[in-house]
Amino acid sequence: MLNDPKVRAALEGRGLIIPDDTVFVGGMHNTANDDITLSDTDLCPESHRAEFEAYAALLHEAGVRNAHERARRFSSAPLSLNAPGAKRHMEGRVQDLSQVRPEWGHATNAVCIVGRRDKTRGMFLDRRAFLISYDPTQDDEASTILGRILGAAVPVCSGINLEYYFSNVDSPGWGSGSKLPHNITGLIGVMDGAMSDLRTGLPWQMVEIHEPMRLLFILERSEEAIAAILARDAFFRNMLEKRWIQLAAMNPETGALSVYRDGGFEAHVSAPEPLPTAPSSQAWYTGWRDYLQFAEITPGAARRGAPS
């Protein structure tokens, strides 16, 4: 596809320049056991083989670490498990036909941060944040890039959040109750046992650890620029005015936060308390199953504060 002149011209027209020697390798992340499977690896040219193998090893290590961080939420996983042991535990769960709890991938989501990644790099956010990369210095005066991002992020991220919200606050009504009696029906949905209406929403086993709240969008952009996007994006504006989502602006120059309330932004004032610190994410979450306070991760730093 990239060799197609029309495709390449379209990408370059959007400011995306892909070098001719770039090689793409497809893959799939199994979010239940944290396996990462790469496709058609034999087609990778020898000129890129060493780089590819190094990257593949990093992906595998990321999967092992991710499994360890997720495992602490499952009562079936001892808190004493090391990272390889946690990975094996996750692999065993997906092979267990009696297992009714999935990976809990989106459970606990609470915030969507759209901005430069150096704003959140080095922070432990306890798997509660959607992180979307956006550089306000590369956008135009009309915030065209941010507008396109929000055109996808607002319906998708808020939709995920609200699906978990309603399925948690009213599992029998808006969710689908326990998945134990569910039967797949007509390949279009599930029903309870042999007789019931089709069940909507998520089963309790997916949302039982979720803390229901309306998603907070934090956008690294000026208040005026965000207001202009709201004026032209009816869906975004409606979700905000109906209070299905929350919104805050982060000043790109000062980092100051302001919260959107009743049609305008108000400065957010918080107590200047430093975040707890830890030398690694693993050092912060190990031994704890429940929600954790955000922390600043600084390799080599002494641990300050305790999870709460």
Side-chain angles (χ1 to χ4, degrees):
M1 288 293 294
L2 289 176
N3 293 326
D4 187 325
K6 293 182 178 179
V7 173
R8 186 169 290 275
L11 293 173
E12 293 178 352
R14 291 176 175 261
L16 183 61
I17 308 299
I18 300 178
D20 293 334
D21 62 349
T22 300
V23 174
F24 286 86
V25 177
M28 182 190 74
H29 175 206
N30 184 322
T31 56
N33 63 14
D34 276 314
D35 278 348
I36 297 175
T37 305
L38 301 176
S39 305
D40 300 325
T41 58
D42 57 311
L43 300 181
C44 180
E46 286 301 317
S47 58
H48 292 66
R49 177 60 58 177
E51 185 178 10
F52 164 73
E53 291 180 351
Y55 181 65
L58 290 175
L59 285 176
H60 174 74
E61 177 64 19
V64 172
R65 294 189 184 189
N66 195 52
H68 188 259
E69 185 172 322
R70 292 195 303 112
R72 70 181 181 89
R73 302 309 299 265
F74 294 104
S75 59
S76 61
L79 290 173
S80 59
L81 281 176
N82 59 19
K87 180 67 166 62
R88 290 192 295 271
H89 182 84
M90 292 303 192
E91 292 169 347
R93 287 176 59 86
V94 302
Q95 300 298 325
D96 184 356
L97 294 179
S98 67
Q99 183 56 253
V100 296
R101 287 170 179 81
E103 73 275 14
W104 277 337
H106 280 144
T108 75
N109 69 82
V111 61
C112 177
I113 305 174
V114 183
R116 287 170 286 192
R117 289 282 60 83
D118 59 6
K119 299 295 182 181
T120 54
R121 186 170 292 116
M123 291 185 64
F124 176 79
L125 301 175
D126 202 18
R127 312 182 69 84
R128 307 201 69 182
F130 296 107
L131 299 176
I132 300 177
S133 295
Y134 165 70
D135 188 346
T137 67
Q138 301 299 310
D139 211 345
D140 57 25
E141 293 185 0
S143 303
T144 303
I145 297 175
L146 180 58
R148 286 203 302 261
I149 290 174
L150 296 177
V154 171
V156 172
C157 295
S158 65
I160 291 171
N161 178 266
L162 290 172
E163 187 175 33
Y164 275 80
Y165 177 95
F166 286 112
S167 296
N168 181 282
V169 299
D170 185 1
S171 178
W174 294 107
S176 57
S178 172
K179 70 187 301 183
L180 294 179
H182 287 176
N183 283 326
I184 298 176
T185 305
L187 298 180
I188 58 174
V190 298
M191 60 189 295
D192 289 338
M195 296 180 63
S196 83
D197 292 333
L198 288 177
R199 302 307 307 269
T200 60
L202 303 175
W204 179 247
Q205 288 82 0
M206 286 183 66
V207 302
E208 59 189 324
I209 69 167
H210 186 69
E211 184 180 25
M213 62 178 63
R214 287 166 171 79
L215 191 68
L216 169 63
F217 283 86
I218 301 178
L219 311 180
E220 189 185 3
R221 195 64 169 165
S222 70
E223 298 172 7
E224 296 77 15
I226 296 174
I229 295 176
L230 282 170
R232 65 176 186 261
D233 188 330
F235 181 84
F236 186 18
R237 185 173 65 253
N238 187 59
M239 290 291 289
L240 189 58
E241 292 177 349
K242 301 298 184 182
R243 299 186 179 181
W244 293 119
I245 60 175
Q246 304 175 81
L247 174 65
M250 179 192 298
N251 188 294
E253 297 179 359
T254 67
L257 292 172
S258 53
V259 180
Y260 187 90
R261 290 193 181 96
D262 300 324
F265 286 93
E266 302 175 4
H268 174 70
V269 180
S270 60
E273 297 181 4
L275 283 173
T277 61
S280 68
S281 294
Q282 184 172 337
W284 185 246
Y285 68 73
T286 295
W288 296 82
R289 291 203 188 277
D290 209 346
Y291 292 101
L292 293 176
Q293 182 180 0
F294 292 173
E296 184 178 353
I297 305 302
T298 306
R303 179 167 173 164
R304 184 184 72 225
S308 60

